[in-house]
Amino acid sequence: MAASVRNKLLTFQPINVVASIHTTSFKQSNLMAFFDDPKNFGAQEVKSGRSWTLDELRIKSNVDLQKLWFVLLKERNMLFTMEHNCREDCRLFPSPERIDKVQDSMRRIEEIVHERNDAFWQLEIGEKAPNPRAVKTLDPDDPLATVREAMEAVTQVKDGATLKFKYLMKEKEMRMQNRKVKLHEREAAMLLKRFPNLDKEALQAKYPDVNIDKLKFNKKTRGSHEFNTV
């Protein structure tokens, strides 16, 4: 009886947590591991599961969390590779939410590790654990944030194409704004030319982006009537 129990214990194999993790990456031992399953090439949608929750990760051991971390890291690298290839071929990346799911799972693993590290520090040292790394972002309400934090502003730009696109969009917005101001100047000049006794304050309120006091000395506002003055 004891010998049979001993043999069963020797032949027992624990369940590998990695084997129970479903990923969309294709299992290969070469560079094809960085690409998706060939059956997903050209697909409009790729089915994938949800991200890992905090409750599911809290019941796992540190070893299982480490294994899961590397599985998610491999999955993320594969998705980034496929996204880059689709962008180079001017194609839409199928199911881009997969990247968000992987990143959410990795962020939650970091949160669980910090919880356990904080508990260890409070138990052994009596202090809180150091704060984990924080991703610093630019203040959207600060107009000089790009000047004060130049390095962060550069790192937010993904590539040269994105930077060029933002520059062209800003140039287009400025051109449209200038066109709008010139249109308002022509309308205000036409009103001043036709109605010389027009209330200047009301006209300024209607066109706040036009300098009415400067515009009334423009020759375009002078009509052939007796109210024109220099």
Side-chain angles (χ1 to χ4, degrees):
M1 180 68 179
S4 61
V5 173
R6 186 173 64 254
N7 293 334
K8 290 182 179 180
L9 292 176
L10 291 177
T11 57
F12 174 74
Q13 297 293 335
I15 299 177
N16 189 357
V17 65
V18 181
S20 61
I21 300 173
H22 298 284
T23 62
T24 58
S25 59
F26 188 56
K27 295 182 180 180
Q28 288 285 345
S29 59
N30 50 19
L31 292 178
M32 286 301 297
F34 292 95
F35 294 90
D36 202 353
D37 193 339
K39 67 181 182 181
N40 295 330
F41 292 172
Q44 299 295 330
E45 182 181 2
V46 178
K47 295 183 179 180
S48 60
R50 58 173 176 81
S51 58
W52 289 83
T53 62
L54 290 174
D55 294 335
E56 293 173 342
L57 296 174
R58 285 192 178 101
I59 62 177
K60 293 188 177 297
S61 63
N62 293 336
V63 176
D64 293 342
L65 289 179
Q66 185 181 19
K67 293 178 181 179
L68 178 59
W69 174 268
F70 283 106
V71 171
L72 293 172
L73 181 63
K74 179 183 176 182
E75 183 78 4
R76 188 187 66 177
N77 292 340
M78 182 274 296
L79 293 175
F80 283 162
T81 302
M82 299 304 298
E83 183 185 29
H84 176 75
N85 289 340
C86 291
R87 186 168 59 249
E88 291 293 326
D89 296 340
C90 298
R91 294 184 292 105
L92 293 178
F93 178 58
S95 301
E97 68 277 2
R98 292 181 291 170
I99 299 179
D100 297 333
K101 294 178 182 179
V102 172
Q103 291 179 342
D104 291 341
S105 299
M106 297 178 73
R107 178 180 53 81
R108 289 166 185 163
I109 290 178
E110 289 182 337
E111 184 176 348
I112 296 300
V113 172
H114 178 67
E115 288 180 359
R116 297 180 181 181
N117 190 32
D118 186 51
F120 176 80
W121 273 61
Q122 292 184 5
L123 180 63
E124 297 293 334
I125 305 178
E127 299 178 357
K128 289 187 177 181
N131 294 327
R133 60 177 183 175
V135 180
K136 191 174 183 180
T137 57
L138 297 178
D139 186 5
D141 299 328
D142 186 3
L144 299 179
T146 56
V147 179
R148 296 191 181 98
E149 305 293 343
M151 293 302 298
E152 285 77 1
V154 173
T155 54
Q156 286 189 358
V157 179
K158 294 183 178 181
D159 49 17
T162 304
L163 181 61
K164 183 179 180 181
F165 175 77
K166 290 182 177 181
Y167 174 79
L168 294 176
M169 286 296 298
K170 186 176 181 180
E171 183 181 5
K172 181 179 179 181
E173 292 175 358
M174 293 179 61
R175 191 161 52 245
M176 293 178 64
Q177 181 65 24
N178 294 335
R179 189 179 304 171
K180 181 180 178 181
V181 172
K182 290 184 180 297
L183 177 61
H184 288 172
E185 288 180 353
R186 290 196 297 269
E187 292 178 355
M190 185 180 301
L191 291 174
L192 286 175
K193 182 178 180 180
R194 186 171 183 180
F195 306 102
N197 292 332
L198 187 65
D199 188 0
K200 305 299 188 298
E201 295 181 358
L203 187 62
Q204 183 67 67
K206 181 176 177 59
Y207 301 104
D209 52 351
V210 179
N211 190 351
I212 301 299
D213 294 334
K214 182 180 178 181
L215 185 63
K216 66 181 180 180
F217 294 103
N218 194 322
K219 63 180 181 179
K220 295 181 180 179
T221 62
R222 300 179 185 177
S224 57
H225 44 68
E226 58 182 359
F227 299 100
N228 285 326
T229 58
V230 179

